[in-house]
Amino acid sequence: MQHWLFPPDSASKLVTVLTGEETGTPDIDSVRAGTLGEVGNIVLNGVMGSIGNILNQYISYSLPTYLEDSLENVLFIYNIVPPPNTLPLVRIRFMIQQLQIEGDIILIFEVGSFTVLLKLIETIK
Amino acid sequence: MDKIARVAEKFCFLDNIPLGMFVLEKDYVVLFWNRCLEEWTGIHRNKIVGTDITFHFPYLGKPKYSTRLQDIFKGGPPTIFSSQLHNYVIPSIMRNEIYRIQHTYVTPVQANKKKDFYALFAIQDVTDLTRRINDYRTMRDQALEEVKGRKRIEDELRKTHEELELRIKERTADLISLNEHLQEEIFERKRAEKKLVATKTYVESILANSLDLIITIKKDGNIVYTNRHLDYETGYKREDVQGKYIMELIPEHLKEFMLKKLKDLNEGISGIYETQIIKADGTPMDCLISQAPVEGFDEFIIAIKNITERKKMETELLKAQKLESVGILAGGIAHDFNNLLTAIFGNISLAKMYMMEREVYNHLVEIEKASLRAKNMTQQLLTFSKGGAQVKKITSLDELIRDSANFALRGSKVNCDIFISPELWHAEVDEGQISQVINNLIINAQQAMPDGGTIQVQADNVTLGSDNVLALKAGDYIKISVKDHGIGISEENIQKIFDPYFTTKPDGSGFGLSTAYSIVKGHDGHIKVESKPDIGTTLYIYIAASPKRFQLKQKDPAFIKGRGNILVMDDEEMVRFVTGKMLYQLGYEVEFVKNGDEAIKVYKQSKKTGKSFDAVIMDLTVPGGMGGKETINKLLKFDPGIKAVVASGYSNDPVMADYKKYGFSGVVCKPFTLSELGQILHKLFESKAD
């Protein structure tokens, strides 16, 4: 499971930069959520594609969905991943200094998946 | 069945989905084109299926799409072409000539058992959603702008409000300060007004209660204000004179004078002067006027003091001064006249001794009687002069009244009925003065009846209580009344009859009743008058009765001779001469001196030589030299046992009335007869012998 997390201001700024629209309110409506979904799709495809290439494996994953809430709610209240079976693996913090945009990419694995991943990595060695 | 037909069969269900959907082969050949896209693009599937899509939509061959579609054809993860970044993937113009906005998902679909994948495009029409969102955004942005604007306006309003608040505060502070200032001013003004009212009340109170009449006039002389005293003083009502020309109150003969004073006022000149104003009853009122301009007003204040009484008093004082002068003159004349009478009496007494011829003797007796009357006249003069104390003694008024009345009416055609109470009390009086009172009243009554008539004289005992209307002390009194039936006295004159110089008779002196009044008052008595014109007048006299018994007069003895050495001091040579002759006839030896200094010198010398004097007869008054009063003082120091007799024409001098107090042993009034002189010396030596 991969999550791309933005503070609202950074998400809004990112959309504004990409679309060239005038700076307005930081609200994320469904149109802008769609834009963020495309951006997330590109980024995740890049990340997951890279991992798949390294592992020489096909990795199947779904289209990103947009959720707007606190991190805690996003992870636990929406039951994206049942807590007992999750294991945070990677947290990548990125910053686009010129645009003052920052965010996190978090990879969450189920316990079984993580074991498979470790084995695959071992195979590469 | 070819590939296109298989794909069409496989994805035919997509015709019923309200999304634009098509399938691409990895060489960009369209394998499926659903009914929705036919409607959107107007391109029938027969036209596009089997053709390269870039032939229809060349931009899809660009890397922006091709790079991402490459992964799809390899079975990679799905791809999103969002509406905001791409607007649309397949252009579709709607009826309103705008492009349909599209949100597109591209998903790999396995083509066969090989690892070939088709790309399934699912295009969602988000035109309406986008429009709504844009509308919403516009609306929201407008709202936000409005909010911002409103906030800005609110900020400006707040700022303005704050500025206003500040200005209001400043203005309020100014107003408070101004208000405080105004309050202070109001307070000060109220205090000043209060003070002004108090001052006005104070001034009005002073004006109202002033004993002077105070008026204010305008420049033209019209009266503006008068105080309450006006009515009391003049009888005018205030409303009668306010607005009146002041000259209307001035007597004709003073108008020119007052006009000049009014002119002075208009020139700012104050002044004090005497004038008259006409009262409401038309009579003039003497007044003292003080006039001055009223500062700050075009008015003048005139204070008028009623000096009618003062003027009357001044007139009376002038009269009194005249009277006093006349009194002094009368006293002097009486004194000198008494000296002359002393010589006349003495000489007559001596002549009578030597004259044996009866006819001549009788003439001498008549001369002596006339001289006695002259003596009484000098007594009246002395009483009139009021220069001395009364010589009072217990007297029977019965005899005194009868003698005085008869003496006054001697030769008159007016009769006199005298009614004296048989048990009439005695009184301690100066016989001469009371005799003069009776005499004056009888003469007045006689003059009131020029055609003759009867005067009724009555004397009774009366006892007055403490509440008597005569203002006399409670006690026993002798009431004497003298009643005539003459012309009477008018009501106007009745209050003036006791005033000095007041007389209704052409040849009257105005002294008679005033002298009587003076004498009766001097005896703590009372005199009053009742009169009705053409009916008559009654005068009443009240003299306090004395509980002391009256001693009957002893008849004059014959010449009482004696022996002794007498020193006579008198400034008048003729008195010294006749006194010496009289003493010689009485058997005494005599030496003479002119004044006190000589008397002291001679008396002391006589003591040294052993031929001392048995008695000294001294004149009380020595013009330009030491008189008897001073001389006896000095002689008493030298010889405390000295016997001295005081002699004077001033029979009412205090020394004569109370001679013992001054150191004398006896008194003799000039003129004296040989008999009186003999009695005095006899009495003197009798007491010496005792």
Side-chain angles (χ1 to χ4, degrees):
Chain A
M1 179 72 52
Q2 187 183 37
H3 287 273
W4 195 15
L5 306 173
F6 287 102
D9 281 349
S10 292
S12 179
K13 278 181 186 173
L14 183 61
V15 173
T16 303
V17 170
L18 291 173
T19 59
E21 65 182 3
E22 289 182 4
T23 306
T25 60
D27 293 354
I28 303 298
D29 53 43
S30 61
V31 174
R32 303 183 90 188
T35 305
L36 283 173
E38 183 178 351
V39 175
N41 176 241
I42 292 167
V43 173
L44 291 176
N45 284 356
V47 173
M48 296 310 289
S50 298
I51 293 172
N53 287 337
I54 292 167
L55 297 176
N56 199 24
Q57 288 291 321
Y58 173 74
I59 299 172
S60 174
Y61 51 90
S62 65
L63 284 170
T65 54
Y66 176 83
L67 291 173
E68 187 174 325
D69 210 331
S70 67
L71 179 60
E72 186 182 9
N73 289 344
V74 167
L75 294 180
F76 303 112
I77 294 176
Y78 288 93
N79 286 328
I80 293 170
V81 177
N85 301 322
T86 57
L87 181 66
L89 178 63
V90 179
R91 180 172 181 249
I92 301 165
R93 183 157 189 84
F94 67 93
M95 295 176 71
I96 308 170
Q97 286 189 342
Q98 286 180 335
L99 303 176
Q100 295 179 329
I101 293 171
E102 60 181 12
D104 291 294
I105 297 171
I106 300 172
L107 297 179
I108 301 171
F109 291 86
E110 292 179 16
V111 177
S113 300
F114 188 63
T115 307
V116 172
L117 181 63
L118 288 176
K119 281 181 181 176
L120 284 172
I121 293 168
E122 194 64 32
T123 307
I124 294 168
K125 287 179 178 179
Chain B
M1 186 182 274
D2 63 359
K3 187 168 56 180
I4 291 173
R6 281 198 310 273
V7 171
E9 186 180 13
K10 186 178 179 180
F11 292 103
C12 65
F13 68 94
L14 296 178
D15 276 335
N16 299 321
I17 295 172
L19 298 173
M21 300 197 75
F22 70 95
V23 178
L24 278 186
E25 204 175 13
K26 68 180 177 183
D27 53 3
Y28 283 67
V29 171
V30 178
L31 296 177
F32 179 76
W33 188 259
N34 78 342
R35 195 173 294 155
C36 182
L37 279 175
E38 285 177 339
E39 286 176 13
W40 285 0
T41 61
I43 301 170
H44 195 272
R45 65 183 69 182
N46 293 339
K47 296 281 181 180
I48 197 167
V49 172
T51 62
D52 189 339
I53 199 164
T54 57
F55 177 74
H56 300 281
F57 308 110
Y59 56 89
L60 290 175
K62 289 185 179 178
K64 180 180 175 183
Y65 294 99
S66 63
T67 52
R68 295 179 65 188
L69 290 174
Q70 286 301 321
D71 290 338
I72 295 293
F73 292 127
K74 289 177 186 173
T79 295
I80 298 169
F81 296 100
S82 65
S83 61
Q84 201 174 16
L85 290 177
H86 301 275
N87 275 336
Y88 54 85
V89 173
I90 300 300
S92 164
I93 297 173
M94 297 193 297
R95 287 179 186 170
N96 53 6
E97 299 298 326
I98 61 169
Y99 284 97
R100 195 182 305 276
I101 300 168
Q102 302 164 1
H103 187 77
T104 306
Y105 298 94
V106 184
T107 309
V109 178
Q110 195 162 12
N112 46 40
K113 290 181 181 176
K114 294 178 185 176
K115 292 182 180 177
D116 292 331
F117 289 88
Y118 299 137
L120 174 61
F121 285 75
I123 303 168
Q124 186 183 0
D125 181 357
V126 293
T127 308
D128 190 52
L129 179 66
T130 303
R131 185 180 58 80
R132 286 176 188 276
I133 287 172
N134 284 338
D135 287 347
Y136 162 74
R137 280 184 186 173
T138 304
M139 202 163 63
R140 185 196 61 191
D141 289 345
Q142 282 177 350
L144 285 173
E145 276 302 313
E146 281 182 16
V147 168
K148 275 185 185 174
R150 192 163 293 180
K151 196 179 174 189
R152 192 174 62 248
I153 290 168
E154 282 179 358
D155 287 345
E156 286 173 1
L157 279 172
R158 188 165 53 249
K159 196 177 171 185
T160 306
H161 180 72
E162 284 171 358
E163 286 176 0
L164 276 172
E165 285 281 332
L166 187 64
R167 287 180 66 185
I168 287 169
K169 277 184 183 173
E170 289 173 353
R171 188 67 183 146
T172 305
D174 288 347
L175 284 171
I176 289 170
S177 171
L178 191 64
N179 189 44
E180 285 173 351
H181 185 64
L182 280 172
Q183 290 289 341
E184 281 176 16
E185 276 191 1
I186 289 168
F187 178 73
E188 285 298 325
R189 185 161 291 186
K190 278 186 178 173
R191 197 166 64 175
E193 282 173 358
K194 211 171 175 181
K195 197 174 176 183
L196 192 64
V197 169
T199 305
K200 194 182 171 194
T201 308
Y202 176 70
V203 171
E204 280 178 351
S205 175
I206 290 172
L207 289 175
N209 292 292
S210 171
L211 290 176
D212 291 343
L213 164 60
I214 293 171
I215 65 173
T216 58
I217 60 168
K218 288 181 181 176
K219 284 188 168 182
D220 57 7
N222 284 339
I223 296 169
V224 179
Y225 166 88
T226 68
N227 66 348
R228 290 187 303 196
H229 208 55
L230 174 82
D231 187 14
Y232 173 77
E233 285 290 1
T234 66
Y236 291 116
K237 300 288 179 193
R238 294 173 81 179
E239 54 271 21
D240 291 341
V241 297
Q242 278 170 359
K244 210 169 189 176
Y245 185 41
I246 192 170
M247 285 301 164
E248 292 179 36
L249 304 179
I250 304 299
E252 200 61 42
H253 69 284
L254 288 167
K255 278 190 175 167
E256 191 179 340
F257 169 75
M258 276 304 291
L259 280 171
K260 186 179 178 307
K261 291 298 175 187
L262 198 59
K263 190 181 169 197
D264 286 350
L265 269 179
N266 276 296
E267 290 171 359
I269 301 170
S270 304
I272 298 173
Y273 54 88
E274 288 183 11
T275 184
Q276 286 182 330
I277 61 173
I278 303 166
K279 295 200 285 186
D281 62 5
T283 58
M285 179 180 94
D286 289 307
C287 51
L288 179 69
I289 285 184
S290 171
Q291 65 179 31
V294 182
E295 202 169 324
F297 293 84
D298 284 339
E299 290 178 11
F300 309 118
I301 185 165
I302 297 178
I304 302 169
K305 185 187 281 294
N306 183 352
I307 57 167
T308 306
E309 286 303 316
R310 198 187 85 187
K311 294 290 276 184
K312 201 180 285 180
M313 281 176 66
E314 282 175 1
T315 307
E316 295 303 326
L317 185 64
L318 194 62
K319 282 183 185 176
Q321 283 171 346
K322 281 182 186 173
L323 198 61
E324 190 181 351
S325 301
V326 173
I328 292 166
L329 180 65
I333 290 169
H335 172 262
D336 293 346
F337 200 57
N338 277 338
N339 278 338
L340 292 172
L341 285 174
T342 303
I344 292 167
F345 263 110
N347 283 309
I348 290 169
S349 299
L350 291 170
K352 277 164 70 181
M353 289 181 70
Y354 294 114
M355 185 56 62
M356 293 300 148
E357 192 176 332
R358 192 67 197 172
E359 194 174 344
V360 177
Y361 182 86
N362 289 340
H363 285 301
L364 285 173
V365 170
E366 287 303 314
I367 293 169
E368 192 176 40
K369 283 182 181 176
S371 299
L372 195 61
R373 288 183 62 188
K375 179 187 174 184
N376 288 334
M377 284 176 65
T378 59
Q379 186 61 41
Q380 283 197 33
L381 277 173
L382 285 170
T383 303
F384 171 75
S385 73
K386 302 173 189 174
Q390 296 154 335
V391 183
K392 289 181 180 178
K393 58 185 178 183
I394 303 298
T395 306
S396 165
L397 293 180
D398 186 335
E399 189 182 344
L400 188 144
I401 291 167
R402 290 179 194 279
D403 287 350
S404 300
N406 290 330
F407 179 78
L409 293 173
R410 194 174 296 167
S412 167
K413 55 185 175 183
V414 172
N415 295 322
C416 184
D417 291 341
I418 299 175
F419 305 99
I420 307 288
S421 175
E423 298 296 326
L424 193 69
W425 293 324
H426 298 150
E428 190 168 9
V429 298
D430 184 314
E431 285 182 3
Q433 288 190 359
I434 296 300
S435 174
Q436 187 183 347
V437 171
I438 304 297
N439 199 30
N440 289 349
L441 299 190
I442 296 289
I443 289 169
N444 271 358
Q446 179 198 359
Q447 290 174 341
M449 297 186 294
D451 299 329
T454 302
I455 297 171
Q456 291 169 311
V457 178
Q458 189 166 339
D460 297 298
N461 296 327
V462 293
T463 300
L464 299 177
S466 57
D467 55 347
N468 69 85
V469 295
L470 305 172
L472 290 171
K473 289 179 188 173
D476 295 332
Y477 287 86
I478 297 155
K479 179 183 176 186
I480 304 164
S481 62
V482 178
K483 184 177 183 181
D484 67 57
H485 301 281
I487 54 174
I489 306 167
S490 69
E491 194 174 339
E492 184 186 339
N493 289 337
I494 205 159
Q495 301 295 328
K496 303 175 185 174
I497 60 167
F498 297 117
D499 293 347
Y501 287 104
F502 177 79
T503 180
T504 56
K505 302 161 198 164
D507 55 348
S509 66
F511 292 155
L513 285 177
S514 60
T515 304
Y517 183 88
S518 170
I519 291 170
V520 173
K521 285 289 173 189
H523 283 77
D524 298 323
H526 184 75
I527 182 168
K528 68 171 187 174
V529 62
E530 287 177 358
S531 182
K532 286 186 179 175
D534 300 326
I535 291 178
T537 303
T538 306
L539 277 141
Y540 299 93
I541 299 167
Y542 292 80
I543 303 290
S546 172
K548 294 177 185 173
R549 297 290 299 167
F550 167 67
Q551 290 180 337
L552 288 172
K553 281 183 181 177
Q554 292 178 344
K555 285 188 176 178
D556 287 351
F559 306 137
I560 302 172
K561 293 199 173 187
R563 297 176 73 87
N565 196 14
I566 310 293
L567 177 64
V568 173
M569 182 196 93
D570 203 297
D571 61 306
E572 286 284 347
E573 189 182 353
M574 60 180 178
V575 174
R576 288 199 302 272
F577 174 76
V578 77
T579 305
K581 285 282 185 185
M582 289 164 84
L583 287 171
Y584 180 75
Q585 281 299 322
L586 289 170
Y588 298 99
E589 290 182 25
V590 188
E591 278 192 42
F592 304 102
V593 289
K594 294 177 186 174
N595 53 47
D597 291 326
E598 287 183 13
I600 292 165
K601 188 178 171 186
V602 171
Y603 192 86
K604 284 181 178 177
Q605 272 182 350
S606 70
K607 281 283 182 186
K608 286 178 186 173
T609 57
K611 193 188 172 186
S612 59
F613 294 103
D614 299 298
V616 183
I617 298 172
M618 288 187 277
D619 189 10
L620 183 60
T621 313
V622 175
M626 191 189 295
K629 185 179 164 185
E630 193 180 347
T631 306
I632 189 63
N633 263 336
K634 293 188 175 177
L635 286 175
L636 278 169
K637 287 176 188 169
F638 177 71
D639 179 12
I642 187 172
K643 292 281 183 185
V645 175
V646 61
S648 179
Y650 291 113
S651 59
N652 54 356
D653 191 283
V655 178
M656 300 295 280
D658 201 5
Y659 59 90
K660 285 184 179 173
K661 181 182 166 188
Y662 295 91
F664 293 103
S665 304
V667 61
V668 62
C669 294
K670 291 179 184 176
F672 44 82
T673 62
L674 187 64
S675 170
E676 285 172 340
L677 189 61
Q679 282 179 52
I680 289 293
L681 290 173
H682 177 74
K683 213 171 163 183
L684 196 71
F685 294 130
E686 254 187 350
S687 61
K688 187 179 180 184
D690 295 343

